[in-house]
Amino acid sequence: VLLALAYVVLGIRRMTAGAMRTAAALAVALSFGGLTAAFVIVSGPVAELLTSLWALPVVAVVIYGGVQHTRASIARSARQKHMRDAVAALTQAAWFDRDPEQLLERAEVAARALLGAQDIEGRITRTPRGAHHTSFAAPAEVTRDPQATGFLDDLGQVVSAAADRHDLSRRLRDAAEHDFLTGLPNRRRLDTYVSEHWEREDAGGLAVLFCDLDAFKRVNEEFGHPTGDSVLQATAREMRETVGDAGLVARYGGDEFVIVLPDAPSVAEVVALARRIEDAVVAASPGKVRSLSVGVLVADRDEPREAHSLVRDADTAMFEAKRKGLGVRVFDAELRARVLREIDLARRITRSVAEGEFDVHFQPIVDATSLEVVAVEALSRWVDEDGAHEPREWVSAAEESGQIIEIGIGVVRAARRALELFALPVGVNVSPRQLAEPDLAARLLEAWGPGDRDKLILEITETALLDDLPLGVETLQSLRAEGVRIALDDFGTGYSTLTRLANLPVDVLKVDRALTGDVTTARGCAVLRAVVDIAHASGLEVVVEGIETVEQLEIVRELGADRVQGFLVGRPASHAPQRVRLPQAGSGRPQV
C-alpha cells in the first residue's frame, strides 16, 4: 500500500497544477481513505464494499492520466510532423529565394505559427571563419521546450546553409567576371558591358581604348614574374584612378587592358585620356613600363555595327599603333578599308590554296667559279583570276591566316618532284609562322618522303630564328639529325652578329642582296669579305644572293663566295635550269 501510495503521489506531482491535479489528489485520498476504513471495519457489508471498491478512484485517475498522456503523445507527433514539413518547405524555398534575409523571414513566420509565439526573432551573423550562423530569440516557455528548440535549430541550419551557398555563388560569379590578379572585370564581363550599353536605345556613342604594355615580356624575363604581376596591378590601379567613374576598366588578358567609355566624348578628348593613362602607368612603374600602345575607337550610335566589333576594331588600331610605334592610333575609315582588304585577301588565299592556284618556280643557285647549276630554290607563286601576285603582297596575310603552313607543305612536295626531275638539291623557304609549329619537323619530312633528305635545304630567315629561338633551334636540330641541311637566309637584314654564326644550327649562309648591292664600294666589299671569312671559319657554305651584274659576280668570286644566286645567273622558272655562261664583253647579260 505504501509503495502504491508513493507511486501515485509522484505521478500527481508531475501533473500541471490546476483543477485536474486537485481532483486527482482528492480521488487518491478517497481511495486510500476507503482502504484504511476497510481495515478499521473488520467485518460486515460496509467493510466488504470498501474492500472491493476502494481502488476505483485510483483506477479512474490512472485511466485518465493514460488517456491524457496518449493525447499528448499524438499531439507531439503531429507537431513534430508539422515541424518537419516546415523545415522541408524552407529547404525547398532556399533554392529559389536568392536573398538569405527573405528566407529568414519565412523561417520566422513558420516558427511563430507552429510554436504560438509571435515575438520570435531571427538573426544571421558571421563566424570568425567566415561561415554564417542563424539564431532565434524566443520566449522562455519556448526555450524550455526541447522539441521547440530543436525545431528552431533546424530552421537556423537551413537559413545558414542558404546564406553560405548564396555567398559562395556571389564569390564564384565575381570570380567568373573578374580578374584574380588585378581585381578588374575580365573579358567576359567586358563583352557583357559593351553589349548592354551598345544595345540600349537611349544610349549615346561608345569609346573603346585597347591598351597594351610595350615590351612587357622583357619585364618578366629581366625582373621575374612576381615583379611582372606587381606591374600589372599598378597598371590596373592607375587606369582605374585615371578613368574614375567615367567608364569601365577591364583586363583583356596578359598585358592588355580595355577601357570603355559610355556616352563617348570627342576623339580628341579620348586621345588625351589615352595620353594621360600612358603617363600615369609609366610613372607608376619607372624603368619597367616605358610606353603603351593604345588603339582608340569612337563609335557613333548612327553607325550600324555589331557590339563585338567595337573591341575588335580598337584591337586592330592598337596593333597598328604598335607596328608603327605611334603610341596612340585611332581606328578610322582608312584603317577600316585596309582591314577589309586584308580580310578579302585572306579569303582569296584560302580559296586559292583549296583550288590549287599556288604554283612553284625554281631559281638556280650556281657555283661561283664554274657557273655550274648546283642547286635550285623553290619559290611559291600565286596566280588567280586577278593575275599574278608578288610575294610581298600576300605572304604576311598568308602567315596571319595560317595558310602559309599548307602553302609551305605544298612547296616541299613540289621540291621533291623537282629533285626527281632536275637531280639537284632544292632549297625551300620556311616562314616564321611555320617555325612556330611544334610538329613542323614531322610534317616536312612526311611531305618530302623517304630518302635523299640531304638534298632538302630549308632556308630560315635570321629574324625568324631569333624570334622563336627555343622552339626553332629544337626543330632545326631534329631536322639536321635526319640529314636535312639548314640555310640561314637573308643574312644582313636582321640582328645576328658574326660571332653567333658558329652557334646557330645551320649549314649554309645566304647573304642578302642588301649587302650585295654595296659590294662595289670599298666599305661594302670589306663587310662582305668579313662575312665570308667568318662564315668559312664557322664551317658554313656561303651563297651570295642578288647577283645582277658581272662586276658583282667577279667581286664575290674574289672574296671567296662558294655559290651565287640572282637574275644574272638565272631567274625563277617552272622548267629545268640551264647552264650559265658569262656574257660577252659589253653585252651586260649572261649567255644561257
Side-chain angles (χ1 to χ4, degrees):
V1 172
L2 291 176
L3 183 61
L5 178 61
Y7 176 77
V8 172
V9 169
L10 290 175
I12 292 175
R13 290 185 63 183
R14 292 193 182 98
M15 295 177 63
T16 304
M20 292 306 302
R21 182 177 179 180
T22 302
L26 291 175
V28 171
L30 179 61
S31 293
F32 283 94
L35 179 60
T36 303
F39 279 99
V40 173
I41 304 174
V42 179
S43 62
V46 176
E48 293 179 2
L49 182 62
L50 291 174
T51 302
S52 303
L53 301 179
W54 72 271
L56 289 180
V58 174
V59 172
V61 171
V62 172
I63 293 175
Y64 176 77
V67 171
Q68 291 298 106
H69 179 72
T70 302
R71 291 179 62 186
S73 297
I74 294 174
R76 283 195 301 271
S77 297
R79 188 189 190 199
Q80 187 67 41
K81 178 180 180 302
H82 292 316
M83 289 179 177
R84 287 196 301 268
D85 291 344
V87 173
L90 187 69
T91 302
Q92 185 176 7
W95 293 103
F96 300 98
D97 286 345
R98 296 175 179 259
D99 186 0
E101 294 296 335
Q102 294 181 355
L103 192 66
L104 180 61
E105 292 179 4
R106 283 178 175 264
E108 291 174 343
V109 171
R112 293 165 185 168
L114 287 176
L115 302 180
Q118 297 302 313
D119 52 351
I120 295 178
E121 298 289 341
R123 185 178 64 172
I124 303 175
T125 58
R126 276 186 178 273
T127 66
R129 295 186 177 182
H132 292 83
H133 174 70
T134 305
S135 58
F136 291 90
E141 60 270 16
V142 174
T143 58
R144 287 196 298 266
D145 183 356
Q147 189 181 48
T149 55
F151 174 54
L152 292 178
D153 288 343
D154 291 342
L155 293 178
Q157 290 179 5
V158 173
V159 175
S160 298
D164 288 339
R165 187 168 58 252
H166 176 269
D167 187 56
L168 177 61
S169 176
R170 178 187 57 78
R171 286 188 283 113
L172 290 176
R173 185 169 56 254
D174 290 343
E177 294 187 345
H178 288 78
D179 174 55
F180 175 77
L181 178 63
T182 63
L184 294 178
N186 59 13
R187 183 174 179 177
R188 177 179 178 182
R189 175 61 187 142
L190 171 69
D191 293 340
T192 303
Y193 183 88
V194 172
S195 297
E196 289 175 351
H197 283 75
W198 185 250
E199 293 171 2
R200 278 173 42 201
E201 295 182 358
D202 59 337
L206 205 67
V208 181
L209 293 83
F210 201 107
C211 309
D212 180 84
L213 303 182
D214 294 333
F216 180 72
K217 182 180 179 182
R218 177 192 59 82
V219 176
N220 284 329
E221 294 175 348
E222 184 175 347
F223 300 98
H225 286 278
T227 301
D229 292 344
S230 299
V231 170
L232 293 175
Q233 292 169 340
T235 299
R237 182 177 63 255
E238 295 300 325
M239 286 186 174
R240 273 197 304 258
E241 293 178 358
T242 304
V243 175
D245 298 330
L248 176 79
V249 180
R251 185 184 180 194
Y252 197 73
D255 60 340
E256 297 175 335
F257 297 83
V258 175
I259 300 169
V260 181
L261 305 176
D263 301 324
S266 66
V267 174
E269 292 174 320
V270 177
V271 172
L273 174 63
R275 300 294 186 190
R276 292 199 303 273
I277 290 173
E278 181 179 18
D279 293 341
V281 171
V282 172
S285 301
K288 299 177 180 65
V289 178
R290 299 174 182 174
S291 62
L292 268 67
S293 294
V294 183
V296 173
L297 170 72
V298 180
D300 192 339
R301 289 290 302 178
D302 297 333
E303 181 182 2
R305 62 161 61 239
E306 298 294 331
H308 65 83
S309 68
L310 300 173
V311 177
R312 181 198 65 196
D313 290 347
D315 187 14
T316 301
M318 184 275 293
F319 274 110
E320 183 74 2
K322 184 178 289 291
R323 186 172 67 89
K324 293 186 176 180
L326 300 176
V328 179
R329 176 69 160 90
V330 178
F331 189 87
D332 52 17
E334 177 186 352
L335 186 55
R336 177 181 287 107
R338 199 196 78 189
V339 170
L340 292 177
R341 288 196 302 270
E342 291 176 351
I343 293 174
D344 178 67
L345 180 60
R347 178 188 58 79
R348 290 164 53 198
I349 291 174
T350 301
R351 177 186 56 78
S352 294
V353 170
E355 296 180 0
E357 293 181 343
F358 280 86
D359 197 5
V360 178
H361 287 193
F362 302 92
Q363 184 175 19
I365 300 173
V366 304
D367 183 89
T369 302
S370 66
L371 295 185
E372 292 285 344
V373 179
V374 293
V376 292
E377 179 181 356
L379 302 172
S380 185
R381 293 292 182 262
W382 178 30
V383 181
D384 63 358
E385 66 273 9
D386 295 329
H389 302 274
E390 292 291 332
R392 64 174 179 271
E393 299 176 8
W394 57 266
V395 169
S396 60
E399 289 182 341
E400 291 180 4
S401 65
Q403 291 299 322
I404 194 68
I405 298 174
E406 295 303 322
I407 295 173
I409 295 299
V411 173
V412 173
R413 295 193 181 101
R416 181 56 187 255
R417 293 192 295 269
L419 172 66
E420 305 296 335
L421 292 174
F422 308 153
L424 292 171
V426 185
V428 176
N429 290 282
V430 176
S431 73
R433 178 67 177 83
Q434 288 176 280
L435 196 61
E437 291 293 308
D439 60 344
L440 173 65
R443 295 195 64 183
L444 289 180
L445 294 177
E446 179 184 3
W448 178 258
D452 292 323
R453 289 177 176 173
D454 60 323
K455 300 298 192 297
L456 173 62
I457 306 171
L458 296 181
E459 300 188 4
I460 315 294
T461 62
E462 57 173 323
T463 52
L465 185 58
L466 293 176
D467 289 343
D468 298 288
L469 189 57
L471 180 60
V473 169
E474 180 181 346
T475 300
L476 297 182
Q477 287 175 342
S478 64
L479 287 168
R480 292 183 79 198
E482 295 291 335
V484 177
R485 302 184 71 202
I486 308 298
L488 185 62
D489 197 13
D490 297 339
F491 185 85
T493 61
Y495 310 101
S496 292
T497 62
L498 295 176
T499 57
R500 295 193 58 185
L501 290 179
N503 298 323
L504 294 176
V506 296
D507 306 285
V508 180
L509 180 69
K510 299 191 72 173
V511 180
D512 187 74
R513 64 179 62 249
L515 295 182
T516 308
D518 294 335
V519 76
T520 56
T521 66
R523 177 180 177 277
C525 183
V527 171
L528 186 57
R529 176 182 288 108
V531 171
V532 173
D533 291 344
I534 294 179
H536 283 163
S538 302
L540 304 181
E541 178 183 287
V542 179
V543 178
V544 179
E545 299 179 301
I547 299 298
E548 298 182 356
T549 66
V550 174
E551 183 181 8
Q552 291 175 336
L553 176 61
E554 292 175 348
I555 293 174
V556 298
R557 275 177 169 176
E558 294 175 0
L559 295 178
D562 303 297
R563 298 176 179 183
V564 295
Q565 182 179 1
F567 289 167
L568 178 69
V569 295
R571 294 175 177 269
S574 58
H575 54 73
Q578 300 180 20
R579 189 179 186 282
V580 179
R581 294 177 306 194
L582 288 177
Q584 299 294 330
S587 65
R589 296 187 60 82
Q591 301 296 314
V592 178

